[in-house]
Amino acid sequence: MHKLRRVRWLELPADLLADVSEKLVDAWRARASKEYPANLERMTPARRLTLLATLCHVRQTEITDSLVDLFIQLVLKINTRAERKVDKELNAELKKIRGKEGMLLRVAEAALSEPSGTVRRVIYPVVGGE
């Protein structure tokens, strides 16, 4: 976040390079990142500012994209853990039910004996409901 704050401090417009081809932006960024500070100082102000602004603008995009990727990974990890926890709890609850196999067998037999019957009339009495 500190790097992102530093780049945002420059307040470069979001559409700074909107009219420039991606290929040219990549070339400017590559050149700016390879130049020594002394070489940048010897350049004309227009060229120096173009290269540095391009470098900072692209870097801001890269940092933002990386943060979004990290956030997505975090959300997916939280979601996966939550699903595992719910599955574990449901399985534990299912194991706690005593005589569930017998109950399921009685439910199946009742449903097969009267397939057109209502759940309230056929199934509930078998499982101890109303």
Side-chain angles (χ1 to χ4, degrees), residues 59-105:
R59 189 67 188 128
Q60 179 177 336
T61 304
E62 291 170 351
I63 293 168
T64 303
D65 290 349
S66 295
L67 288 172
V68 169
D69 288 343
L70 285 172
F71 180 70
I72 290 171
Q73 289 173 5
L74 179 64
V75 169
L76 289 174
K77 191 172 188 176
I78 290 170
N79 191 28
T80 301
R81 283 186 182 172
E83 285 178 6
R84 285 184 191 151
K85 184 177 180 181
V86 168
D87 286 346
K88 186 177 178 180
E89 289 174 1
L90 286 175
N91 285 332
E93 287 297 318
L94 186 59
K95 288 178 183 177
K96 289 180 185 177
I97 300 172
R98 292 188 181 162
K100 63 183 170 253
E101 290 88 8
M103 186 184 299
L104 289 173
L105 182 60

Side-chain angles (χ1 to χ4, degrees), residues 15-126:
D15 61 347
L16 178 67
L17 302 170
D19 297 336
V20 182
S21 75
E22 192 174 322
K23 188 175 180 180
L24 187 56
V25 170
D26 290 342
W28 286 345
R29 183 204 189 284
R31 181 165 180 201
S33 63
K34 292 177 186 175
E35 289 290 342
Y36 289 105
N39 292 343
L40 286 169
E41 287 176 1
R42 285 192 289 262
M43 292 180 184
T44 63
R47 179 175 286 168
R48 179 176 55 244
L49 291 175
T50 299
L51 293 178
L52 291 175
T54 302
L55 179 65
C56 292
H57 181 75
V58 171
R59 189 67 188 128
Q60 179 177 336
T61 304
E62 291 170 351
I63 293 168
T64 303
D65 290 349
S66 295
L67 288 172
V68 169
D69 288 343
L70 285 172
F71 180 70
I72 290 171
Q73 289 173 5
L74 179 64
V75 169
L76 289 174
K77 191 172 188 176
I78 290 170
N79 191 28
T80 301
R81 283 186 182 172
E83 285 178 6
R84 285 184 191 151
K85 184 177 180 181
V86 168
D87 286 346
K88 186 177 178 180
E89 289 174 1
L90 286 175
N91 285 332
E93 287 297 318
L94 186 59
K95 288 178 183 177
K96 289 180 185 177
I97 300 172
R98 292 188 181 162
K100 63 183 170 253
E101 290 88 8
M103 186 184 299
L104 289 173
L105 182 60
R106 290 193 305 274
V107 168
E109 288 172 346
L112 290 173
S113 68
E114 279 192 68
S116 61
T118 63
V119 171
R120 183 177 300 249
R121 191 172 54 77
V122 177
I123 306 295
Y124 277 9
V126 174

